[in-house]
Amino acid sequence: LYMLSKRLFPYSNLFPRLRKYKFIVYFIICLTIIILALGVYLYSIPIVSPNQPQCDMVWMSPSYARIRAFDETHTKYASKYNLYLYREQDVDKMPNENENEDGNEGFTSLDGIPALFIHGNAGSFEQVRSIAARCSEMYYTDGKFKEKYPHARNIDFFTADFNEELSAFKGLRDQVEYVTQAISFIVDLYPQNPNRNIILIGHSMGGLVARIAASRQQHESNVDIILTLATPHSDPFPWLPKTSDFPDEVGLISIYLLVDLMVPPLVVTPKSKSDHFFSVDAAKLLGVPIDHQGIVWCGQLREKLSEALIGISGLNTLQDRMKVFKKIFSGDRKELGPTPIFGLAKLKLKLLQSWVHLLSLTIFALKWTIIVLAIIQLRKVYTKFNNPPPTH
């Protein structure tokens, strides 16, 4: 490094004033080369061992029935968003579409427990298929789960389509309004449901949509449990609506991932927790490295998620439902989690997940820059009006 910097230094003769800063020039050149070399080396290091067990692949036969009765007559966002009912082919009972008393299309054969899936930033409504398909298989074809959960009910999965909008930057308020209206509509499809409750499942930013919508539904008590997958609950984006006014009567389960680069663990805990809050690192629990998108389809995780949903489907109280989640996601393993991350691999992970701190620092700097500039301008105006120019 010294010889390289010495070879580069003769070019400083073009700027004679730099000669007296020879040591500083050497230092800057060496530091830049070291940082670049370290960056290249860190980029080549895998975060987790390539020998680590991977997520099991999953298969399903999905079909989606559009809920036109809601999209065309019950919401002003009909031309923007869509609502679908998921049906696993050859497993789920297909709904009967006919006209209800108002002359609108409706579904009259729904007899399960409603659940609404909300996808995340630029996501797809079809991401519900992995969990929904496994829940159908467990209830209709796997007898051991009926023995384990004798009060279980089948789950009707609805899914909202936001046309791959960027929830983190625009459209979140419209999505919240749409989901709020959808919750009321879906619950009305189940007049025999004594508690009139719906399960909300949100992936990434969809979890924030679910939380805000649940707070708006508080007076109707239509939501008593929310399951979120890799959701930034700590409100890292200051330009979005806050979720601090979350009702304590709603249970919140936060499934997150240690190695998630988009939603790191430091943003998955709400600043204001509800009385019924439970969180778990799925990658550590299951011993497989799961990424941000893989959390909705990873075979090992969907097995536990589906069992938990089937387990709570026949329960009426929030306390009983939370006990099921805590029991299923508090597994006892001899070796917890992926291969431990040490040294430079851990440093690389922390650097990649540091976008939250960089965002906070950037917003803090911009805020105070604007304040200082405003004070300077006000001072100039004050000086101008209190010291008028002399008249001749």
Side-chain angles (χ1 to χ4, degrees), residues 38-306:
L38 181 59
V40 172
Y41 181 64
L42 285 175
Y43 181 80
S44 65
I45 297 176
I47 295 178
V48 295
S49 170
N51 299 323
Q52 187 69 25
Q54 302 298 311
C55 285
D56 294 337
M57 296 300 296
V58 295
W59 290 266
M60 67 289 297
S61 300
S63 63
Y64 305 89
R66 184 179 174 188
I67 313 297
R68 299 184 184 277
F70 174 70
D71 286 340
E72 296 179 357
T73 61
H74 285 73
T75 175
K76 64 180 180 180
Y77 300 103
S79 61
K80 189 176 183 181
Y81 306 135
N82 297 299
L83 184 67
Y84 293 89
L85 172 67
Y86 180 88
R87 298 279 91 174
E88 180 69 7
Q89 298 181 40
D90 301 324
V91 179
D92 278 321
K93 297 177 181 178
M94 300 305 292
N96 296 323
E97 282 192 286
N98 56 15
E99 289 191 352
N100 57 24
E101 295 177 356
D102 299 326
N104 299 317
E105 289 180 311
F107 292 91
T108 59
S109 62
L110 299 177
D111 58 356
I113 300 298
L116 175 60
F117 176 83
I118 308 166
H119 67 73
N121 193 45
S124 169
F125 69 96
E126 295 181 355
Q127 290 174 310
V128 70
R129 62 186 182 270
S130 177
I131 299 172
R134 185 58 183 139
C135 284
S136 297
E137 293 171 356
M138 284 184 176
Y139 180 77
Y140 287 109
T141 65
D142 201 330
K144 69 177 183 180
F145 288 100
K146 284 192 174 182
E147 295 178 2
K148 188 174 182 179
Y149 305 104
H151 302 291
R153 301 273 302 278
N154 63 304
I155 301 177
D156 296 320
F157 282 88
F158 296 82
T159 176
D161 177 17
F162 298 138
N163 291 317
E164 300 183 1
E165 272 190 346
L166 299 176
S167 309
F169 303 99
K170 67 173 184 177
L172 187 69
R173 289 176 173 83
D174 290 350
Q175 294 176 14
V176 169
E177 184 67 25
Y178 184 82
V179 169
T180 303
Q181 296 172 5
I183 291 173
S184 299
F185 176 84
I186 293 171
V187 169
D188 288 340
L189 296 177
Y190 296 83
Q192 303 303 321
N193 186 354
N195 296 325
R196 293 181 58 82
N197 285 331
I198 182 173
I199 303 170
L200 296 186
I201 305 171
H203 172 234
S204 191
M205 294 298 296
L208 292 186
V209 175
R211 287 190 62 193
I212 301 173
S215 65
R216 295 188 177 185
Q217 288 281 334
Q218 186 175 5
H219 63 284
E220 298 182 16
S221 301
N222 287 333
V223 179
D224 73 341
I225 198 161
I226 301 175
L227 170 63
T228 63
L229 307 172
T231 293
H233 286 294
S234 64
D235 296 323
F237 307 108
W239 56 84
L240 296 179
K242 302 303 178 185
T243 58
S244 56
D245 55 344
F246 187 68
D248 292 335
E249 297 78 13
V250 177
L252 180 62
I253 296 94
S254 175
I255 311 296
Y256 67 94
L257 307 167
L258 173 67
V259 294
D260 194 338
L261 302 181
M262 297 184 66
V263 181
L266 62 149
V267 299
V268 298
T269 302
K271 293 181 179 178
S272 178
K273 296 182 183 179
S274 66
D275 292 342
H276 304 280
F277 175 76
F278 174 71
S279 65
V280 63
D281 179 359
K284 182 177 180 182
L285 175 68
L286 301 172
V288 292
I290 310 173
D291 60 24
H292 187 71
Q293 297 298 333
I295 196 171
V296 296
W297 64 261
C298 179
Q300 294 90 326
L301 177 57
R302 85 155 185 167
E303 194 71 17
K304 285 188 173 291
L305 288 173
S306 302

